[in-house]
């Protein structure tokens, strides 16, 4: 029986409920009256249940689909504006004891180069990232209790935060590591992490166990209940996601929303972020070997329906996706993207690695530099944001969600985005990018309606131009 308040994985991600939901959605995919009712409910911007959202995802009425896309764009704009938060992944180690069949880091892969960064190598990576202009990182590492114990992760976080190079500083470290204990989550919280991110990969338990045949990740319940332990450990910003392509996308969509409902029901705080990676080619992984790949049109609709169903959540897309694909879904709900990313261990400081030293987790589709991505975003009407103010001002968990759901977060986010963009333009941008950015900032400042906020932001922008850094609301 489906019970979002239960802390047992098979209660809040209930297989029978998902199958019933998919049958209901299939039966109503052309039910114009019901679809109109659900769209009307979505216009209230309070979110949708997994069942209602699944009907929209299955909808085959083209005029209603266009309404869904238009509503997704509207909700994205009202909750997050035209800001796009920038980040980069930082791979610490690709040692892993799991047997995941879709990941080249699996234990049986004997020809991928295994590497673990020393603290000095981490320092070099961080300096390289700071020289690009990044302020926010997502820490990645394989699961290996010997090579990558929690002590190594904690020491690495301390190293990252300690590095101040020129005007560079990493102001937020999000962490994407394997499911762990309440005590270890507590230690991560004490280390000052931002969001704890963990992808479910697939919510279909039988498929999950086949895709993870060996290693600690084989334990479906322990993995699926990780967010509960993270919350109990004091981490109130958690990020969910699935790897689309492993299982039927409608099943994953329903499971993902059920997980969001569970977190809301138990902790009063849904996922801070939802990621939507798709299975991509990697060292010894052929995505065509999996039967559930999705095309770009289906992917765009998934993004739109998540935005409509979970209006408050941040949505993340990585450089797995091409420039063309990213451009499309930015309009439909994505609010965070990576730029200038490397998915190899040591990829930033080392530059081009020798073929025998390749440590990439997956092939990167968008290979542009951070400066090129920033310029492209601005040319398309977006504000690239390097802001981390909410985390450092204590606007996390239910405090962030309350502001977001009430539409008040923009009063902080918009000026903070402009100030951090100004920092980037002054310190790292090419002349062409800086010219475009200065014009954008001037135009966006005219949209700030709160007189006090506008006055403070104007002065801060002047101070940044004169060499001061790290202003925030």
């Amino acid at each position: 029986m489906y019970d979002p308040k239960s802390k047992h994985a098979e209660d809040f991600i209930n297989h029978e409920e998902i199958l019933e939901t998919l049958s209901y959605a299939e039966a109503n995919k052309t039910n114009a009256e019901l679809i109109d009712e659900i769209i009307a409910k979505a216009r209230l911007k309070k979110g949708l249940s997994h069942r209602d959202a699944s009907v929209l995802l299955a909808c085959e009425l083209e005029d209603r689909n266009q309404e869904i896309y238009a509503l997704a764009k509207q909700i994205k704009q009202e909750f997050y504006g035209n800001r796009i938060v920038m980040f980069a992944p930082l791979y610490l180690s690709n040692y892993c004891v799991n047997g995941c069949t879709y990941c080249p880091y699996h234990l049986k892969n004997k020809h991928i180069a295994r590497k673990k960064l020393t603290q000095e190598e981490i320092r070099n990576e961080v300096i390289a990232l700071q020289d690009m202009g990044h302020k926010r990182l997502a820490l990645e590492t394989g699961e290996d209790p010997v090579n990558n114990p929690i002590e190594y992760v904690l020491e690495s976080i301390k190293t990252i935060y300690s590095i101040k190079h020129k005007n560079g500083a990493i102001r937020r470290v999000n962490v994407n590591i394997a499911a762990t204990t309440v005590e270890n989550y507590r230690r991560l919280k004490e280390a000052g992490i931002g969001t704890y991110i963990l992808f479910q990969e697939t919510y279909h338990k039988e498929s999950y166990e086949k895709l993870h045949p060996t290693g600690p990740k084989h334990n479906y319940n322990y993995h699926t209940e990780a967010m509960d332990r993270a919350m109990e450990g004091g981490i109130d910003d958690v990020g969910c996601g699935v790897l689309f392509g492993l299982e039927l996308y409608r099943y994953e969509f329903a499971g993902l929303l059920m997980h969001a409902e569970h977190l809301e029901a138990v902790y009063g705080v849904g996922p801070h972020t939802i990621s939507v990676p798709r299975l991509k080619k990697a060292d010894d992984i052929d995505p065509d070997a999996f039967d559930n790949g999705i095309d770009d049109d289906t992917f765009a609709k998934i993004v739109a329906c998540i935005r409509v169903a979970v209006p408050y959540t941040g949505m993340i897309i990585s450089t797995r996706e091409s420039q063309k694909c990213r451009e499309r879904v930015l309009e439909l709900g994505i609010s965070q993207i990576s730029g200038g990313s490397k998915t190899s261990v040591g990829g930033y400081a080392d530059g081009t690695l020798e073929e025998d030293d390749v440590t990439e987790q997956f092939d990167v589709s968008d290979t542009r530099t951070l400066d090129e991505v920033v310029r492209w975003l601005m040319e398309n009407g977006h504000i690239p944001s390097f802001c981390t103010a909410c985390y450092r001002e204590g606007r996390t968990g239910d405090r962030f969600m309350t502001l977001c759901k009430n539409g008040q977060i923009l009063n902080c986010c918009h000026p903070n985005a402009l100030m951090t963009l100004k920092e980037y333009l002054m310190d790292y941008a090419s002349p062409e990018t800086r010219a475009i950015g200065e014009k954008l900032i001037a135009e966006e400042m005219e949209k700030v309606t709160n007189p006090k906020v506008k006055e403070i932001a104007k002065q801060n922008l002047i101070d940044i131009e004169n060499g001061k850094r790290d202003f925030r609301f």
Side-chain angles (χ1 to χ4, degrees), residues 265-447:
V266 177
Y267 306 101
V269 181
H272 187 73
T273 59
I274 291 177
S275 298
V276 287
R278 282 193 285 183
L279 185 66
K280 294 291 181 178
K281 187 179 183 303
D283 176 69
D284 69 336
I285 305 299
D286 179 5
D288 293 335
F290 297 82
D291 298 330
N292 297 302
I294 55 176
D295 59 28
D296 287 353
D297 288 340
T298 301
F299 184 63
K301 191 171 186 187
I302 289 170
V303 170
C305 288
I306 292 174
R307 174 51 66 209
V308 167
V310 198
Y312 59 80
T313 195
M315 290 186 66
I316 301 175
I317 192 169
S318 76
T319 43
R320 288 174 182 262
E321 302 296 342
S322 67
Q323 174 181 339
K324 181 180 178 182
C325 177
R326 278 153 60 105
E327 191 164 315
R328 182 179 183 184
V329 296
L330 280 170
E331 299 292 336
L332 296 174
I334 296 298
S335 58
Q336 295 188 26
I337 68 170
S338 52
S341 300
K342 302 290 185 183
T343 67
S344 51
V345 182
Y348 296 105
D350 288 351
T352 302
L353 299 173
E354 297 296 327
E355 186 174 348
D356 290 343
D357 293 330
V358 170
T359 59
E360 289 183 327
Q361 188 184 34
F362 56 84
D363 289 356
V364 171
S365 297
D366 190 343
T367 58
R368 293 172 296 170
T369 66
L370 179 60
D371 187 78
E372 290 171 329
V373 172
V374 167
R375 184 165 65 248
W376 161 72
L377 286 171
M378 294 190 297
E379 288 171 341
N380 284 277
H382 302 289
I383 304 172
S385 173
F386 297 85
C387 180
T388 59
C390 282
Y391 162 67
R392 291 178 296 146
E393 294 293 329
R395 293 188 294 265
T396 62
D398 58 355
R399 294 169 295 286
F400 173 85
M401 290 302 178
T402 298
L403 289 170
C404 190
K405 291 174 183 178
N406 290 336
Q408 297 300 312
I409 199 70
L410 283 175
N411 290 331
C412 306
C413 293
H414 189 232
N416 280 327
L418 297 178
M419 288 187 289
T420 57
L421 175 58
K422 179 74 172 183
E423 290 180 336
Y424 174 82
L425 298 176
M426 296 296 299
D427 294 339
Y428 307 105
S430 64
E432 181 183 2
T433 299
R434 182 173 177 181
I436 295 170
E438 294 288 2
K439 183 174 182 293
L440 176 66
I441 289 173
E443 292 171 349
E444 290 293 329
M445 280 298 296
E446 293 303 313
K447 299 177 184 178

Side-chain angles (χ1 to χ4, degrees), residues 39-97:
I39 291 175
K41 190 185 300 183
R43 290 190 194 283
L44 300 175
K45 305 181 189 69
K46 303 296 184 183
L48 295 174
S49 70
H50 64 277
R51 185 164 288 208
D52 282 347
S54 292
V55 173
L56 296 189
L57 184 62
C59 174
E60 292 185 352
L61 303 175
E62 185 54 31
D63 56 341
R64 267 59 172 197
N65 282 334
Q66 292 307 313
E67 285 189 56
I68 294 167
Y69 290 131
L71 181 56
K73 292 179 182 180
Q74 179 187 343
I75 290 174
K76 159 72 188 312
Q77 187 65 31
E78 290 189 16
F79 278 82
Y80 284 91
N82 55 346
R83 299 176 304 107
I84 302 295
V85 172
M86 309 302 302
F87 75 96
L90 174 57
Y91 283 76
L92 299 181
S93 169
N94 64 357
Y95 284 96
C96 192
V97 298

Side-chain angles (χ1 to χ4, degrees), residues 196-208:
Y196 173 67
I197 301 166
L198 183 67
F199 298 162
Q200 180 62 26
E201 320 299 3
T202 176
Y203 283 101
H204 191 290
K205 184 177 181 181
E206 183 178 346
S207 295
Y208 180 97

